[in-house]
Amino acid sequence: MTKRAYNFNAGPAALPLEVLERAQAEFVDFRNTGMSIMEMSHRGAVYESVHNEAQERLLSLLGNPKGYKVLFLQGGASTQFAMLPMNLLGAGQTASYIMTGSWAKKALSEAKLIGETQIVASSESDKFMKLPDVSNLSLPERTAYVHVTSNETIEGTQFKAFPDTGSVPLIADMSSDIFCKPFDLNQFGMIYAGAQKNLGPSGITVVIAREELVSESPKTIPTMFRYSTHVDNNSLYNTPPSFSVYMVNEVLKWIEEQGGLAGVEQKNIKKAELLYNTIDSSGDFYRGCVAAEDRSLMNVTFRLASEELEKKFIKASEQEGFVGLKGHRSVGGLRASIYNAASYESVKALTDFMNHFQQANG
């Protein structure tokens, strides 16, 4: 068997080995059809059964909440940044944004192109190294929706609880922490996520929305950008990313096998605790970037005493088979993305490496 890298990439990220092996076994001949799933018509019964199964699994893992639709779209979360206000931000309304870092900023900048926006909470004054207080938001009159980024992949912050926005729809970009732990979908009007961190390969974006929010879209926007188009056609208006949908379904099966979201959360807590404890007990050789109460379970960001030492760390880690530990180019430093598919063993190997590196360079 080939040696697997210790994959800490931020996305596309590690996929469960069991899922890759199952996909490999079915790659050439899917369910005795004599074809790969990538070769078959998206209008055929075989593909459609996989498509529908993946939608049902997503809702089932969330306890089958009533009144929600699952959409499989393309263009990543970045397309959702624009599609959301195009569909839901009407004339005379304001879209409210919670400003927590790089991805929240990108979402806001797209909404500004479409209509009125307002920042209702921000941690920019803390350089986004903690989260703003969202317990008592003051929303503009006629707020169309409140947008939150549940986990900032680049900075390494994650919401533990979400604001109560009353009758105003709360909408979350959950790209980097979806399904890392249980959450109550009923709190949200809509959530969306690029799949390439916790749900599957790149190329597919999952949207789960209350039906009344997405069943009627303005006729003034292009057909492909209307949520209603995809609701009316079961996300089969045009050719879907069929292999990515199949892979999402397989990852969701794997999550079920881990004990669902509660089982996955326990494993994620253990991994994160091991890594954060290694950072915190290093006598400031390693320094966590984010306020302790807002640290992400998924993206662990940390620094060393100098950029020279960080470069040395990255080079040495790559020689030992660790991939993806360089921080995002916009913030520098170091980052280990420990999504659902990153094993405890790989995190343990990383902390062992960190201890050895400290002994050699402390």
Side-chain angles (χ1 to χ4, degrees):
M1 155 130 177
T2 47
K3 180 167 163 45
R4 301 269 295 155
Y6 296 121
N7 186 349
F8 295 101
N9 276 322
L15 284 161
L17 181 59
E18 300 94 315
V19 170
L20 293 171
E21 286 173 343
R22 280 180 217 166
Q24 184 181 38
E26 296 183 324
F27 193 72
V28 174
D29 184 4
F30 184 66
R31 294 185 186 171
N32 300 318
T33 57
M35 293 180 284
S36 170
I37 193 159
M38 290 191 289
E39 300 176 285
M40 56 183 62
S41 167
H42 63 291
R43 305 282 177 214
V46 177
Y47 172 72
E48 215 162 319
S49 70
V50 172
H51 186 93
N52 294 338
E53 204 178 288
Q55 291 174 329
E56 286 157 18
R57 270 210 167 78
L58 280 159
L59 291 176
S60 154
L61 281 160
L62 294 169
N64 286 314
K66 294 283 171 279
Y68 284 86
K69 274 277 184 225
V70 175
L71 304 177
F72 293 141
L73 305 178
Q74 294 172 70
S78 297
T79 297
Q80 291 309 304
F81 296 162
M83 203 165 158
L84 172 61
M86 285 166 104
N87 281 267
L88 301 187
L89 180 53
Q93 291 183 310
T94 302
S96 294
Y97 279 72
I98 295 168
M99 191 48 53
T100 50
S102 309
W103 291 108
K105 265 188 170 171
K106 287 188 171 177
L108 174 66
S109 67
E110 293 297 289
K112 280 180 173 171
L113 301 173
I114 310 296
E116 286 300 312
T117 62
Q118 188 160 320
I119 295 172
V120 291
S122 174
S123 55
E124 188 154 19
S125 60
D126 295 300
K127 295 192 166 68
F128 299 128
M129 289 301 131
K130 60 183 297 213
L131 291 171
D133 179 8
V134 294
S135 57
N136 203 2
L137 296 177
S138 173
L139 301 179
E141 264 184 75
R142 302 205 63 213
T143 293
Y145 59 82
V146 177
H147 182 280
V148 63
T149 307
S150 60
N151 183 91
E152 285 284 1
T153 323
I154 291 173
E155 287 80 7
T157 56
Q158 183 181 31
F159 278 99
K160 309 294 184 280
F162 295 98
D164 179 356
T165 54
S167 60
V168 177
L170 178 63
I171 293 175
D173 172 5
M174 290 192 171
S175 291
S176 53
D177 71 341
I178 191 167
F179 283 16
C180 77
K181 57 185 173 129
F183 66 94
D184 180 8
L185 184 63
N186 291 300
Q187 276 189 283
F188 298 92
M190 175 173 136
I191 64 169
Y192 63 90
Q196 67 275 8
K197 300 170 193 292
N198 258 352
L199 291 181
S202 57
I204 176 171
T205 309
V206 172
V207 172
I208 308 178
R210 282 192 193 281
E211 273 185 70
E212 67 264 21
L213 271 185
V214 291
S215 53
E216 283 187 45
S217 299
K219 300 291 183 279
T220 51
I221 58 178
T223 309
M224 272 301 286
F225 293 121
R226 295 177 203 163
Y227 287 128
S228 60
T229 299
H230 304 287
V231 171
D232 294 345
N233 292 279
N234 190 30
S235 300
L236 293 163
Y237 175 76
N238 69 326
T239 310
S242 50
F243 186 72
S244 294
V245 172
Y246 156 77
M247 286 294 285
V248 166
N249 192 39
E250 292 302 317
V251 171
L252 296 173
K253 283 184 200 170
W254 176 82
I255 291 174
E256 289 171 348
E257 289 157 9
Q258 309 309 302
L261 300 186
V264 159
E265 179 184 35
Q266 290 313 307
K267 292 182 171 161
N268 286 332
I269 288 170
K270 272 181 71 177
K271 292 184 304 194
E273 280 180 350
L274 176 63
L275 189 43
Y276 283 121
N277 287 343
T278 302
I279 291 165
D280 294 341
S281 62
S282 71
D284 262 5
F285 183 81
Y286 300 108
R287 294 191 314 279
C289 298
V290 169
E293 66 275 14
D294 295 327
R295 284 170 162 177
S296 169
L297 279 178
M298 298 282 98
N299 308 103
V300 178
T301 53
F302 57 103
R303 303 294 310 232
L304 291 171
S306 69
E307 284 189 24
E308 291 318 303
L309 199 53
E310 287 171 354
K311 281 180 184 155
K312 191 175 179 184
F313 179 95
I314 290 159
K315 192 173 178 192
S317 71
E318 285 170 352
Q319 286 166 352
E320 295 294 324
F322 295 94
V323 176
L325 291 171
K326 193 176 180 181
H328 191 271
R329 61 188 177 277
S330 62
V331 293
L334 302 159
R335 171 178 59 178
S337 295
I338 51 173
Y339 301 122
N340 290 353
S343 67
Y344 182 84
E345 291 68 32
S346 65
V347 177
K348 177 75 173 73
L350 174 59
T351 58
D352 289 346
F353 167 78
M354 289 167 72
N355 289 331
H356 293 314
F357 185 83
Q358 181 175 355
Q359 284 160 13
N361 296 275

